[in-house]
Amino acid sequence: LPPGRTPQRSAMSKAKKALLQELGQTHLFDGWGSKPSAADESRFYKQIEDLDASYPGGLKAYVDNGRKLLADSKAGVNPLEGWTPSVPVGE
């Protein structure tokens, strides 16, 4: 293992990379060219792990929601259809 990588971290990175591939998000690491430094790779996968843990439903839900929003936008769907803005009454 590269310096700074634990077996658990390496296995987690492989799992997240596989998930990103499954979700069609390989463009996130395809441009790395040569092998990134262990620190850069660790930072990247830490961000991915944090997003997966913090977004309701994880990475899959995040990507699915993004795709739905883009498709709706392309189709001209207005997510605020029927909503009327109003100014609250102040004190």
Side-chain angles (χ1 to χ4, degrees), residues 24-89:
Q25 300 299 301
T26 59
H27 62 278
L28 295 173
F29 49 81
D30 282 347
W32 284 356
S34 63
K35 185 89 173 127
S37 71
D40 287 344
E41 190 174 3
S42 180
R43 236 183 340 268
F44 173 77
Y45 285 113
K46 174 73 170 109
Q47 290 176 353
I48 296 300
E49 291 163 19
D50 289 347
L51 175 61
D52 193 34
S54 65
Y55 193 86
L59 282 172
K60 181 172 181 354
Y62 179 81
V63 171
D64 289 346
N65 188 48
R67 287 181 176 148
K68 180 189 178 310
L69 291 171
L70 287 170
D72 285 352
S73 177
K74 183 178 180 181
V77 174
N78 180 354
L80 301 177
E81 186 73 36
W83 183 73
T84 304
S86 63
V87 177
V89 177

